[in-house]
Amino acid sequence: MPPSPSPALVPIESHGYRAEINPAGAELMSLSHDGRPLLWPGDVNSWAERAPVLFPTIGLVTNGEIRVDGRAYPMPPHGFAKRSAFTVVQSEPDRCSLTLEATAATRAQYPFDFDLKLDYSLGADGLRIAATITNPGSEVLPASFGFHPGFRWPLESGVPKDSYTVSFPEDRSLTTKRPVQGFFTDESAVVELPNGHLALTDDLFVGGGLFIVAPQSSHVRFGAPAGRLALKIGYENCPDVMLWMKPGAEFLCIEPWHGRPDPLGFSGDFRGKPGLASIAPGQSVVVAMTVTVDA
């Protein structure tokens, strides 16, 4: 569920794009272009969230906890950032920045010092969201970060859902995984992409999300041949992409990730979990995604 209480949303606007960001969770709450809504508005009957921030874990962890130096720390699905109150440190007409720092409450779940900064900006190329994870501590900081935006599917009325595709321009096949009870296994499957297009249907997601392992493409295109509106979604320093929706609902999440859920049965130290960023003291890691109307 979205965090509460919810303070006033932070609006930004430029070049026909308009967005609103919630300091509760640093969540993107709306995104539109020339008055056309692009982001899923949330629905308690299917998925109430819109674009949660995933940090310092992604997905599920074994027994709902991480282990560090032999001690267990409780960790909710997708981490605690989306449930945390961020501080707005910059608010301009076309951009804003929000931060979250380690506190006694976060150390009870995640025994590391960190600074997390989310920069939202709008321009001629649309929306850019950059997440900077900085390690102010004296030991290596292990962390995951993921974007989880839900887009309207279909993007415009009158266009059938099953005419939509997600296009990977540099890929002709994809290595994919399906979570097993929310966890990963060694099993994978290859999905062929005729002309680089992955056809979208509700049936594709009956078994849960479709995890794309290390695609060659640095962006995807979400749209339909008969549609007048499509989105180009880019990602930087996010090796993998998750596609997810709930069959019957009218949204599609396109999620660039730096990190993964726990492997099935993983019981090791959190630092040894596959897919984490390991950030040296005094260093930072930046991950980013962009959303551009590609009509």
Side-chain angles (χ1 to χ4, degrees):
M1 296 293 292
S4 60
S6 295
L9 303 183
V10 181
I12 56 175
E13 190 168 3
S14 181
H15 290 80
Y17 291 93
R18 190 176 192 279
E20 294 177 309
I21 298 90
N22 192 345
E27 183 175 8
L28 179 68
M29 299 300 286
S30 68
L31 176 65
S32 62
H33 180 256
D34 290 342
R36 298 175 296 186
L38 308 175
L39 196 71
W40 165 249
D43 184 340
V44 294
N45 295 315
S46 54
W47 186 53
E49 297 175 270
R50 306 182 189 191
V53 166
L54 315 183
F55 173 87
T57 58
I58 292 174
L60 299 181
V61 293
T62 303
N63 297 325
E65 58 189 24
I66 63 171
R67 289 152 297 284
V68 179
D69 294 332
R71 179 177 171 183
Y73 296 83
M75 182 64 66
H78 287 322
F80 53 71
K82 70 175 191 164
R83 301 166 175 85
S84 300
F86 282 66
T87 300
V88 179
V89 295
Q90 181 189 27
S91 181
E92 303 292 340
D94 62 348
R95 66 192 59 238
C96 67
S97 299
L98 307 93
T99 61
L100 178 68
E101 298 178 352
T103 64
T106 66
R107 292 187 187 96
Q109 298 177 279
Y110 179 63
F112 301 98
D113 290 330
F114 69 87
D115 293 331
L116 175 61
K117 183 182 180 186
L118 271 292
D119 293 304
Y120 288 84
S121 60
L122 290 174
D125 293 330
L127 172 68
R128 176 179 169 83
I129 313 171
T132 303
I133 309 165
T134 300
N135 180 2
S138 58
E139 59 178 313
V140 171
L141 172 65
S144 297
F145 187 92
F147 300 98
H148 196 327
F151 299 101
R152 293 171 184 255
W153 176 27
L155 285 167
E156 50 193 325
S157 61
V159 181
K161 279 183 69 178
D162 60 7
S163 67
Y164 277 75
T165 66
V166 173
S167 302
F168 293 78
E170 303 301 323
D171 294 272
R172 291 301 172 262
S173 66
L174 299 173
T175 300
T176 66
K177 287 180 174 287
R178 295 280 191 182
V180 176
Q181 299 177 346
F183 299 95
F184 275 9
T185 70
D186 292 333
E187 295 183 7
S188 63
V190 174
V191 175
E192 301 297 331
L193 294 185
N195 301 314
H197 302 308
L198 177 66
L200 295 173
T201 66
D202 280 22
D203 289 346
L204 183 64
F205 300 99
V206 168
L210 185 68
F211 183 76
I212 315 299
V213 181
Q216 297 298 306
S217 302
S218 60
H219 71 272
V220 300
R221 185 181 188 273
F222 171 51
R228 296 166 296 174
L229 179 62
L231 299 179
K232 177 181 176 182
I233 297 163
Y235 35 89
E236 304 165 20
N237 199 20
C238 292
D240 306 309
V241 176
M242 175 66 92
L243 303 179
W244 176 77
M245 61 88 66
K246 287 190 174 181
E250 294 191 336
F251 70 86
L252 176 69
C253 289
I254 302 176
E255 310 175 36
W257 285 1
H258 191 133
R260 301 179 177 187
D262 272 7
L264 185 65
F266 180 74
S267 60
D269 193 278
F270 182 66
R271 300 179 185 91
K273 177 179 173 176
L276 290 176
S278 295
I279 308 170
Q283 300 299 305
S284 299
V285 165
V286 179
V287 298
M289 75 170 293
T290 57
V291 182
T292 307
V293 167
D294 188 23

Short mmCIF file of all heavy atoms in Angstrom, two decimals, residues 59-104:
data_model
loop_
_atom_site.label_atom_id
_atom_site.label_comp_id
_atom_site.label_asym_id
_atom_site.label_seq_id
_atom_site.Cartn_x
_atom_site.Cartn_y
_atom_site.Cartn_z
N GLY A 59 11.61 -6.97 -4.62
CA GLY A 59 10.86 -8.21 -4.49
C GLY A 59 10.91 -8.76 -3.08
O GLY A 59 10.99 -8.02 -2.10
N LEU A 60 10.87 -10.09 -2.99
CA LEU A 60 10.83 -10.77 -1.70
C LEU A 60 12.22 -11.17 -1.22
O LEU A 60 13.11 -11.43 -2.04
CB LEU A 60 9.96 -12.02 -1.79
CG LEU A 60 8.49 -11.83 -2.16
CD1 LEU A 60 7.78 -13.17 -2.19
CD2 LEU A 60 7.80 -10.86 -1.20
N VAL A 61 12.38 -11.23 0.09
CA VAL A 61 13.57 -11.81 0.71
C VAL A 61 13.12 -12.97 1.57
O VAL A 61 11.99 -13.00 2.08
CB VAL A 61 14.35 -10.77 1.55
CG1 VAL A 61 14.94 -9.69 0.64
CG2 VAL A 61 13.47 -10.14 2.62
N THR A 62 13.98 -13.95 1.74
CA THR A 62 13.64 -15.19 2.43
C THR A 62 13.15 -14.90 3.86
O THR A 62 13.81 -14.18 4.62
CB THR A 62 14.86 -16.12 2.49
OG1 THR A 62 15.31 -16.36 1.15
CG2 THR A 62 14.50 -17.44 3.14
N ASN A 63 11.98 -15.44 4.17
CA ASN A 63 11.37 -15.28 5.51
C ASN A 63 11.12 -13.83 5.88
O ASN A 63 10.98 -13.49 7.06
CB ASN A 63 12.24 -15.95 6.58
CG ASN A 63 12.36 -17.45 6.39
OD1 ASN A 63 11.43 -18.11 5.95
ND2 ASN A 63 13.54 -17.99 6.68
N GLY A 64 11.09 -12.95 4.86
CA GLY A 64 10.82 -11.54 5.14
C GLY A 64 11.92 -10.85 5.93
O GLY A 64 11.66 -9.88 6.65
N GLU A 65 13.17 -11.33 5.75
CA GLU A 65 14.27 -10.71 6.49
C GLU A 65 15.56 -10.86 5.72
O GLU A 65 15.73 -11.76 4.90
CB GLU A 65 14.41 -11.37 7.88
CG GLU A 65 14.64 -12.86 7.83
CD GLU A 65 14.56 -13.54 9.19
OE1 GLU A 65 13.91 -12.99 10.09
OE2 GLU A 65 15.14 -14.63 9.34
N ILE A 66 16.49 -9.93 5.97
CA ILE A 66 17.84 -10.05 5.45
C ILE A 66 18.76 -10.42 6.61
O ILE A 66 18.44 -10.16 7.77
CB ILE A 66 18.32 -8.76 4.76
CG1 ILE A 66 18.38 -7.59 5.77
CG2 ILE A 66 17.42 -8.40 3.59
CD1 ILE A 66 19.06 -6.34 5.21
N ARG A 67 19.88 -11.01 6.28
CA ARG A 67 20.83 -11.44 7.31
C ARG A 67 22.17 -10.74 7.07
O ARG A 67 22.71 -10.77 5.95
CB ARG A 67 21.00 -12.97 7.27
CG ARG A 67 19.77 -13.70 7.78
CD ARG A 67 19.59 -15.06 7.17
NE ARG A 67 19.38 -14.99 5.72
CZ ARG A 67 18.22 -14.63 5.15
NH1 ARG A 67 17.17 -14.32 5.90
NH2 ARG A 67 18.10 -14.58 3.84
N VAL A 68 22.66 -10.11 8.12
CA VAL A 68 23.93 -9.40 8.07
C VAL A 68 24.74 -9.78 9.31
O VAL A 68 24.27 -9.59 10.44
CB VAL A 68 23.73 -7.86 8.02
CG1 VAL A 68 25.07 -7.14 8.00
CG2 VAL A 68 22.89 -7.48 6.80
N ASP A 69 25.91 -10.34 9.08
CA ASP A 69 26.80 -10.75 10.17
C ASP A 69 26.07 -11.62 11.19
O ASP A 69 26.23 -11.47 12.42
CB ASP A 69 27.39 -9.51 10.87
CG ASP A 69 28.33 -8.73 9.95
OD1 ASP A 69 28.93 -9.35 9.05
OD2 ASP A 69 28.45 -7.51 10.14
N GLY A 70 25.26 -12.54 10.69
CA GLY A 70 24.60 -13.51 11.56
C GLY A 70 23.33 -13.03 12.22
O GLY A 70 22.66 -13.81 12.91
N ARG A 71 22.95 -11.78 12.01
CA ARG A 71 21.74 -11.24 12.61
C ARG A 71 20.67 -11.04 11.55
O ARG A 71 20.97 -10.63 10.42
CB ARG A 71 22.04 -9.92 13.32
CG ARG A 71 20.82 -9.27 13.95
CD ARG A 71 21.18 -8.00 14.69
NE ARG A 71 19.99 -7.28 15.12
CZ ARG A 71 19.99 -6.11 15.75
NH1 ARG A 71 21.15 -5.52 16.04
NH2 ARG A 71 18.86 -5.53 16.09
N ALA A 72 19.41 -11.31 11.90
CA ALA A 72 18.29 -11.14 10.97
C ALA A 72 17.64 -9.77 11.18
O ALA A 72 17.45 -9.32 12.32
CB ALA A 72 17.26 -12.24 11.18
N TYR A 73 17.31 -9.13 10.06
CA TYR A 73 16.65 -7.82 10.08
C TYR A 73 15.38 -7.91 9.23
O TYR A 73 15.43 -8.36 8.08
CB TYR A 73 17.56 -6.74 9.50
CG TYR A 73 18.82 -6.50 10.29
CD1 TYR A 73 19.95 -7.31 10.11
CD2 TYR A 73 18.90 -5.47 11.22
CE1 TYR A 73 21.12 -7.09 10.83
CE2 TYR A 73 20.06 -5.24 11.95
CZ TYR A 73 21.16 -6.05 11.75
OH TYR A 73 22.31 -5.84 12.47
N PRO A 74 14.23 -7.48 9.76
CA PRO A 74 12.98 -7.58 8.98
C PRO A 74 13.02 -6.65 7.77
O PRO A 74 13.47 -5.50 7.87
CB PRO A 74 11.91 -7.14 9.98
CG PRO A 74 12.63 -6.27 10.97
CD PRO A 74 14.02 -6.86 11.08
N MET A 75 12.55 -7.16 6.62
CA MET A 75 12.54 -6.35 5.40
C MET A 75 11.26 -6.64 4.63
O MET A 75 11.01 -7.77 4.22
CB MET A 75 13.76 -6.69 4.54
CG MET A 75 13.86 -5.86 3.28
SD MET A 75 14.11 -4.07 3.57
CE MET A 75 15.75 -4.09 4.32
N PRO A 76 10.42 -5.61 4.42
CA PRO A 76 9.17 -5.83 3.69
C PRO A 76 9.42 -6.01 2.20
O PRO A 76 10.51 -5.69 1.70
CB PRO A 76 8.38 -4.54 3.97
CG PRO A 76 9.44 -3.51 4.18
CD PRO A 76 10.58 -4.22 4.86
N PRO A 77 8.44 -6.53 1.45
CA PRO A 77 8.59 -6.66 0.01
C PRO A 77 8.97 -5.32 -0.64
O PRO A 77 8.40 -4.28 -0.31
CB PRO A 77 7.21 -7.13 -0.45
CG PRO A 77 6.64 -7.83 0.74
CD PRO A 77 7.14 -7.07 1.93
N HIS A 78 9.93 -5.37 -1.53
CA HIS A 78 10.41 -4.20 -2.26
C HIS A 78 11.08 -3.15 -1.37
O HIS A 78 11.29 -2.00 -1.79
CB HIS A 78 9.28 -3.54 -3.06
CG HIS A 78 8.84 -4.30 -4.28
ND1 HIS A 78 9.72 -4.96 -5.10
CD2 HIS A 78 7.61 -4.48 -4.83
CE1 HIS A 78 9.06 -5.52 -6.11
NE2 HIS A 78 7.78 -5.25 -5.95
N GLY A 79 11.44 -3.52 -0.15
CA GLY A 79 12.18 -2.60 0.70
C GLY A 79 11.31 -1.58 1.41
O GLY A 79 10.08 -1.59 1.32
N PHE A 80 11.98 -0.66 2.13
CA PHE A 80 11.25 0.28 2.97
C PHE A 80 11.12 1.68 2.38
O PHE A 80 10.38 2.51 2.90
CB PHE A 80 11.89 0.40 4.35
CG PHE A 80 13.37 0.72 4.35
CD1 PHE A 80 13.84 1.98 4.00
CD2 PHE A 80 14.30 -0.24 4.72
CE1 PHE A 80 15.19 2.28 4.01
CE2 PHE A 80 15.65 0.04 4.74
CZ PHE A 80 16.11 1.31 4.38
N ALA A 81 11.83 1.98 1.27
CA ALA A 81 11.82 3.36 0.77
C ALA A 81 10.41 3.80 0.39
O ALA A 81 10.01 4.95 0.64
CB ALA A 81 12.76 3.51 -0.42
N LYS A 82 9.64 2.92 -0.22
CA LYS A 82 8.31 3.32 -0.67
C LYS A 82 7.37 3.58 0.50
O LYS A 82 6.28 4.15 0.31
CB LYS A 82 7.73 2.26 -1.61
CG LYS A 82 7.35 0.95 -0.97
CD LYS A 82 6.68 0.05 -2.00
CE LYS A 82 6.04 -1.17 -1.36
NZ LYS A 82 5.09 -1.82 -2.27
N ARG A 83 7.76 3.17 1.68
CA ARG A 83 6.96 3.40 2.89
C ARG A 83 7.54 4.53 3.74
O ARG A 83 7.10 4.75 4.86
CB ARG A 83 6.90 2.12 3.71
CG ARG A 83 6.29 0.94 2.97
CD ARG A 83 6.54 -0.38 3.67
NE ARG A 83 5.87 -1.50 3.02
CZ ARG A 83 6.37 -2.18 1.98
NH1 ARG A 83 7.56 -1.85 1.50
NH2 ARG A 83 5.70 -3.18 1.44
N SER A 84 8.54 5.24 3.23
CA SER A 84 9.27 6.24 4.01
C SER A 84 8.93 7.66 3.57
O SER A 84 8.56 7.91 2.43
CB SER A 84 10.79 6.02 3.84
OG SER A 84 11.17 4.73 4.29
N ALA A 85 9.10 8.58 4.50
CA ALA A 85 8.89 10.00 4.23
C ALA A 85 10.20 10.60 3.72
O ALA A 85 11.20 10.62 4.44
CB ALA A 85 8.43 10.73 5.48
N PHE A 86 10.21 11.09 2.49
CA PHE A 86 11.37 11.76 1.91
C PHE A 86 11.29 13.26 2.21
O PHE A 86 10.22 13.81 2.45
CB PHE A 86 11.41 11.55 0.40
CG PHE A 86 11.92 10.21 -0.05
CD1 PHE A 86 11.20 9.05 0.23
CD2 PHE A 86 13.11 10.09 -0.75
CE1 PHE A 86 11.66 7.80 -0.19
CE2 PHE A 86 13.59 8.86 -1.17
CZ PHE A 86 12.86 7.71 -0.89
N THR A 87 12.45 13.90 2.15
CA THR A 87 12.53 15.34 2.33
C THR A 87 12.72 16.01 0.97
O THR A 87 13.61 15.62 0.20
CB THR A 87 13.72 15.71 3.23
OG1 THR A 87 13.55 15.10 4.52
CG2 THR A 87 13.83 17.22 3.41
N VAL A 88 11.87 17.00 0.67
CA VAL A 88 12.02 17.75 -0.57
C VAL A 88 13.14 18.77 -0.37
O VAL A 88 13.03 19.67 0.47
CB VAL A 88 10.71 18.46 -0.96
CG1 VAL A 88 10.90 19.27 -2.24
CG2 VAL A 88 9.59 17.45 -1.12
N VAL A 89 14.23 18.64 -1.12
CA VAL A 89 15.37 19.54 -0.97
C VAL A 89 15.49 20.52 -2.13
O VAL A 89 16.26 21.48 -2.05
CB VAL A 89 16.68 18.74 -0.82
CG1 VAL A 89 16.67 17.93 0.47
CG2 VAL A 89 16.93 17.84 -2.02
N GLN A 90 14.73 20.30 -3.20
CA GLN A 90 14.70 21.25 -4.31
C GLN A 90 13.34 21.15 -4.98
O GLN A 90 12.81 20.05 -5.17
CB GLN A 90 15.78 20.95 -5.36
CG GLN A 90 15.78 21.93 -6.53
CD GLN A 90 16.71 21.51 -7.66
OE1 GLN A 90 16.99 20.33 -7.84
NE2 GLN A 90 17.21 22.47 -8.42
N SER A 91 12.76 22.30 -5.33
CA SER A 91 11.50 22.33 -6.04
C SER A 91 11.50 23.53 -6.98
O SER A 91 11.40 24.67 -6.54
CB SER A 91 10.32 22.42 -5.07
OG SER A 91 9.09 22.43 -5.77
N GLU A 92 11.67 23.25 -8.27
CA GLU A 92 11.65 24.26 -9.32
C GLU A 92 10.50 23.94 -10.26
O GLU A 92 9.92 22.85 -10.20
CB GLU A 92 12.99 24.27 -10.07
CG GLU A 92 14.21 24.50 -9.20
CD GLU A 92 14.28 25.88 -8.60
OE1 GLU A 92 13.61 26.78 -9.14
OE2 GLU A 92 14.97 26.06 -7.59
N PRO A 93 10.14 24.87 -11.16
CA PRO A 93 9.00 24.60 -12.04
C PRO A 93 9.11 23.31 -12.85
O PRO A 93 8.10 22.65 -13.11
CB PRO A 93 8.98 25.83 -12.96
CG PRO A 93 9.56 26.92 -12.11
CD PRO A 93 10.63 26.25 -11.30
N ASP A 94 10.35 22.94 -13.24
CA ASP A 94 10.51 21.77 -14.11
C ASP A 94 11.29 20.63 -13.47
O ASP A 94 11.60 19.64 -14.14
CB ASP A 94 11.21 22.17 -15.41
CG ASP A 94 12.62 22.71 -15.19
OD1 ASP A 94 13.00 22.98 -14.01
OD2 ASP A 94 13.35 22.85 -16.18
N ARG A 95 11.57 20.73 -12.15
CA ARG A 95 12.35 19.68 -11.51
C ARG A 95 12.18 19.72 -10.00
O ARG A 95 11.82 20.75 -9.43
CB ARG A 95 13.83 19.81 -11.87
CG ARG A 95 14.51 21.07 -11.32
CD ARG A 95 15.88 21.26 -11.97
NE ARG A 95 15.77 21.39 -13.40
CZ ARG A 95 16.38 20.57 -14.28
NH1 ARG A 95 17.17 19.60 -13.85
NH2 ARG A 95 16.21 20.74 -15.58
N CYS A 96 12.47 18.59 -9.38
CA CYS A 96 12.49 18.54 -7.92
C CYS A 96 13.42 17.42 -7.48
O CYS A 96 13.72 16.49 -8.25
CB CYS A 96 11.09 18.35 -7.33
SG CYS A 96 10.32 16.75 -7.69
N SER A 97 13.88 17.51 -6.24
CA SER A 97 14.77 16.51 -5.66
C SER A 97 14.27 16.16 -4.27
O SER A 97 13.83 17.04 -3.51
CB SER A 97 16.20 17.03 -5.58
OG SER A 97 16.71 17.34 -6.87
N LEU A 98 14.37 14.87 -3.94
CA LEU A 98 13.92 14.38 -2.64
C LEU A 98 14.98 13.44 -2.09
O LEU A 98 15.65 12.72 -2.85
CB LEU A 98 12.59 13.63 -2.76
CG LEU A 98 11.43 14.36 -3.45
CD1 LEU A 98 11.40 14.03 -4.94
CD2 LEU A 98 10.09 13.99 -2.80
N THR A 99 15.16 13.45 -0.77
CA THR A 99 16.20 12.63 -0.17
C THR A 99 15.66 11.80 0.99
O THR A 99 14.68 12.15 1.65
CB THR A 99 17.36 13.50 0.36
OG1 THR A 99 16.86 14.41 1.35
CG2 THR A 99 18.01 14.29 -0.76
N LEU A 100 16.36 10.68 1.21
CA LEU A 100 16.10 9.81 2.35
C LEU A 100 17.45 9.40 2.90
O LEU A 100 18.32 8.95 2.14
CB LEU A 100 15.30 8.58 1.93
CG LEU A 100 14.99 7.55 3.01
CD1 LEU A 100 14.00 8.13 4.02
CD2 LEU A 100 14.43 6.27 2.39
N GLU A 101 17.63 9.56 4.22
CA GLU A 101 18.90 9.21 4.86
C GLU A 101 18.66 8.14 5.92
O GLU A 101 17.55 7.96 6.42
CB GLU A 101 19.53 10.45 5.49
CG GLU A 101 19.86 11.54 4.49
CD GLU A 101 20.45 12.78 5.16
OE1 GLU A 101 20.44 12.82 6.42
OE2 GLU A 101 20.89 13.69 4.45
N ALA A 102 19.74 7.47 6.27
CA ALA A 102 19.67 6.43 7.30
C ALA A 102 19.29 7.05 8.64
O ALA A 102 19.74 8.14 9.01
CB ALA A 102 21.00 5.71 7.41
N THR A 103 18.43 6.34 9.37
CA THR A 103 18.00 6.75 10.71
C THR A 103 18.03 5.51 11.60
O THR A 103 18.29 4.39 11.14
CB THR A 103 16.58 7.31 10.68
OG1 THR A 103 15.67 6.27 10.28
CG2 THR A 103 16.46 8.49 9.72
N ALA A 104 17.74 5.71 12.87
CA ALA A 104 17.64 4.57 13.77
C ALA A 104 16.58 3.59 13.28
O ALA A 104 16.75 2.36 13.40
CB ALA A 104 17.33 5.04 15.19
#
